Amino acid sequence: MKKRTVALISVLMLLLMVLTACGNNTKPSTTPQNSVAPTKAEDQPKESELKQTNVVVLYSSGSTTQNELVQRMWEERYPNVTLEIVSAGSGELQNRIIAEANNPQGDVIMGGSYAVYSALSDYLTPYVSPNVEDCIPEFRSTNDKFTAIQINVNTIMVNNQLLNELGVTVDGWESLTNPALKGKIIFADPSSSSSGREQLINMMTAMSPTGKPEDGWDFVKKYIENLDGKISSSSSAIYTGVANGEYAVGITNEEKVIEYMINGADVSPVYAKEGITLRTSYCGIIKGCKNEYNARLLVDLLTSKEYQQAAAEELYQRSVRSDVNFSLEGIPATTELVSIEYPTDWVEENSDLIKEKFQELWTSAQ
């Protein structure tokens, strides 16, 4: 009897060891630090499990023309489902999503930088579109909570006539500290504009003597002094101000410069010789949204070849897809740009500090 009891205990102990080993048999994550391992398709709720509705609400920080393009292409695909677009800055939409967490009023957020979506990670729901497979590998998001939809290029927009009158050459970040440009540069406030924040990060990374973004603050201080109090809470004021001749120089996204050029404005894009942090803007599904079935369809549309090609042709946006043609006379291909690595980990760890430090330097310069 004792032998049988001992044998039974041995078997039970062996079984317990096997179960414990299985539970701990997880492989180390191969995704970058502070990112989330992509959700597998089989781990996501099936479409058949989601409630079908006749509306979807998009929170967009995109331009009016981008919103119109999305609206048009959605109506062509899904004429029986109403797309409602709420337009605001990415920072405002970020705060709105957080405030509405217990009762989301939107379904999808579109536009905005990595810093915005990283901060919103807990307020977004996982979804990996099948279209991600067609995206350029280095521009795919490593986080299953948001999906890259556009490659953004930080561009120095110049008014050619005003620069000629000043006798100034602008060819990069360092040239923006030229005393002849003092008070003639317009910049978006990084505290309220995600594009302004990303441009600041680019400057710091490119102009740091050590290659570490945090060592770029000395350059930022000189740059702020040359702004001479000229700063805007709105990114749209940058390209309109330069195009209208109010300012000689502004920092903005590339597609707006191209748009003004094509429409006849005497402006040009300058690609900083010290380097550009090629970054992406994203879209994501809001956690707990009321129309997740349609939200997935919208993400699929934004990442589709049809939409991406239309955005390249009509909005002059560089696509994250490898099968979309982006070719404009006088505009360099993405591979021809002097690009530098985007400091993802540093941005995640210092998102609030970046805004606070800039504000501190800005206040002390006034």
Side-chain angles (χ1 to χ4, degrees):
M1 181 69 179
K2 289 183 177 180
K3 290 182 179 180
R4 292 177 60 188
T5 302
V6 171
L8 179 60
I9 292 174
S10 298
V11 171
L12 290 173
M13 291 180 65
L14 179 61
L15 180 61
L16 180 61
M17 291 172 64
V18 171
L19 291 172
T20 302
C22 291
N24 292 329
N25 187 26
T26 54
K27 296 180 180 180
S29 172
T30 57
T31 53
Q33 184 180 3
N34 296 324
S35 66
V36 179
T39 298
K40 297 178 181 179
E42 60 266 27
D43 294 334
Q44 299 175 161
K46 297 178 181 178
E47 289 188 359
S48 60
E49 299 173 356
L50 300 174
K51 180 182 178 181
Q52 295 191 38
T53 60
N54 61 357
V55 66
V56 63
V57 180
L58 173 63
Y59 283 179
S60 172
S61 63
S63 64
T64 300
T65 51
Q66 183 174 11
N67 291 339
E68 290 173 348
L69 175 61
V70 175
Q71 186 83 57
R72 187 185 81 218
M73 297 193 74
W74 176 267
E75 291 175 354
E76 291 173 354
R77 280 197 179 195
Y78 309 105
N80 297 321
V81 180
T82 300
L83 170 62
E84 298 178 2
I85 299 179
V86 177
S87 182
S90 58
E92 181 180 341
L93 293 176
Q94 175 184 337
N95 293 335
R96 182 167 182 167
I97 289 172
I98 294 172
E100 296 173 348
N102 294 327
N103 184 27
Q105 299 301 301
D107 299 303
V108 175
I109 176 175
M110 178 188 76
S113 66
Y114 183 86
V116 169
Y117 284 79
S118 176
L120 278 176
S121 185
D122 291 340
Y123 300 89
L124 301 174
T125 196
Y127 176 62
V128 179
S129 171
N131 294 329
V132 169
E133 293 297 321
D134 296 310
C135 292
I136 303 169
E138 56 264 41
F139 294 113
R140 294 178 189 171
S141 173
T142 57
N143 192 312
D144 61 2
K145 301 288 187 68
F146 43 91
T147 304
I149 58 173
Q150 176 191 348
I151 300 172
N152 289 312
V153 177
N154 297 318
T155 309
I156 303 172
M157 182 180 185
V158 299
N159 183 297
N160 297 319
Q161 180 180 341
L162 291 181
L163 280 192
N164 288 334
E165 292 174 358
L166 292 170
V168 174
T169 297
V170 172
D171 56 9
W173 306 120
E174 183 64 39
S175 63
L176 300 182
T177 60
N178 187 329
L181 290 174
K182 188 168 186 176
K184 296 176 173 59
I185 304 172
I186 183 64
F187 185 60
D189 185 352
S191 301
S192 57
S193 168
S194 66
S195 61
R197 187 158 61 252
E198 293 300 328
Q199 291 147 11
L200 174 65
I201 293 167
N202 190 156
M203 289 183 199
M204 294 176 64
T205 306
M207 300 307 296
S208 167
T210 65
K212 298 178 180 179
E214 60 266 31
D215 294 328
W217 284 114
D218 286 342
F219 171 78
V220 173
K221 184 177 180 180
K222 291 193 299 180
Y223 173 67
I224 287 176
E225 291 173 353
N226 222 33
L227 289 177
D228 196 29
K230 305 299 191 300
I231 199 169
S232 172
S233 60
S234 168
S235 57
S236 62
I238 310 302
Y239 42 84
T240 56
V242 176
N244 294 337
E246 299 174 53
Y247 302 95
V249 179
I251 318 299
T252 186
N253 287 339
E254 173 190 44
E255 64 268 17
K256 300 308 298 185
V257 190
I258 297 173
E259 180 182 331
Y260 273 92
M261 285 175 57
I262 289 177
N263 289 330
D266 188 19
V267 297
S268 297
V270 172
Y271 302 93
K273 64 181 182 180
E274 299 92 347
I276 301 168
T277 52
L278 297 181
R279 55 189 175 85
T280 44
S281 59
Y282 301 87
C283 68
I285 298 176
I286 299 169
K287 187 176 182 179
C289 67
K290 298 177 176 63
N291 305 289
E292 186 175 343
Y293 182 90
N294 295 331
R296 290 187 179 190
L297 296 179
L298 183 51
V299 171
D300 291 345
L301 171 64
L302 295 174
T303 53
S304 69
K305 182 178 180 180
E306 293 77 12
Y307 171 80
Q308 292 278 311
Q309 188 63 61
E313 294 173 358
E314 299 179 32
L315 307 177
Y316 319 113
Q317 294 180 354
R318 294 180 189 255
S319 175
V320 293
R321 290 181 62 107
S322 58
D323 55 359
V324 168
N325 178 51
F326 178 83
S327 179
L328 294 167
E329 185 178 352
I331 303 300
T334 303
T335 54
E336 297 173 347
L337 297 171
V338 180
S339 62
I340 54 179
E341 185 177 358
Y342 183 84
T344 302
D345 291 343
W346 182 79
V347 171
E348 285 186 342
E349 295 169 3
N350 298 277
S351 181
D352 291 334
L353 177 63
I354 294 169
K355 293 184 285 186
E356 293 168 3
K357 181 66 174 179
F358 182 88
Q359 194 61 44
E360 176 187 325
L361 292 177
W362 175 261
T363 302
S364 63
Q366 305 314 303

